[in-house]
Amino acid sequence: MTLDLSTLAALPGVIQTAVADDSGRLLGFDGDSEPPTAAILILAHATLSAASELGRRSGSGDCHEIIQQHEGGCIYLHGLPQSRVLLVRCQSLSAVPAVRALCQNLAAPVETPHASRPFFTDMVSALHAEPAW
C-alpha cells in the first residue's frame, strides 16, 4: 500500500501529516498548519529509535508505532522502511483509531539482523541508537 498523506490529513481531528527521513529531511507533508521543522522530524525519528532500543533490550522487539498524548493534542508516529517516519498530529486521541486503520497496511518496517549491540551508558547514546526500521 502506498501512503497517501492527503487521505490521512483529511481525517476528522488530524492537523497535519508528514514523512521524514532520519536526517530530518521532509519527504512529504499535508495539512492546514505549517510543516514541521527539521528539529521536530529528527525528534520523531529519535523517539522511535529509543523506543526500538527499549523494546529490543526488554525482549519485545522493534517499535513500529508510538502514540503520544500531550496537553494540546496527540502525535502518532509510525516507523516506515528505509529509516523513514510518519508523523501525524491530531487534535485529540479520538482521531487515532482512524489513523491507525489507514496505516495498518503500510509496509512493515524493514527487519535487519541485529549485531551485538553495545551497552548504552547514558541517555544520549541510547537516543542515537540506530533503529532497525
Side-chain angles (χ1 to χ4, degrees):
M1 173 182 175
T2 59
L3 181 60
D4 183 4
L5 295 180
S6 61
T7 301
L8 278 172
L11 290 172
V14 172
I15 298 167
Q16 72 178 196
T17 61
V19 173
D21 64 13
D22 57 352
S23 66
R25 185 175 47 204
L26 186 64
L27 303 174
F29 169 78
D30 202 328
D32 294 331
S33 61
E34 292 293 316
T37 64
I40 290 171
L41 299 173
I42 289 170
L43 283 170
H45 190 274
T47 300
L48 275 171
S49 294
S52 283
E53 186 64 24
L54 174 63
R56 287 190 294 269
R57 288 175 179 271
S58 66
S60 297
D62 288 318
C63 180
H64 297 267
E65 69 177 7
I66 294 175
I67 301 166
Q68 296 181 336
Q69 193 167 0
H70 298 270
E71 292 172 0
C74 69
I75 297 173
Y76 174 84
L77 300 174
H78 189 92
L80 299 171
Q82 302 165 349
S83 296
R84 295 174 298 146
V85 62
L86 167 67
L87 182 147
V88 181
R89 282 187 48 223
C90 303
Q91 292 173 345
S92 70
L93 202 53
S94 63
V96 173
V99 171
R100 288 182 89 193
L102 284 178
C103 293
Q104 191 175 73
N105 294 322
L106 291 177
V110 175
E111 298 296 327
T112 57
H114 299 293
S116 174
R117 300 236 180 234
F119 179 74
F120 297 108
T121 57
D122 62 317
M123 182 58 98
V124 173
S125 296
L127 288 175
H128 288 91
E130 287 297 316
W133 42 266

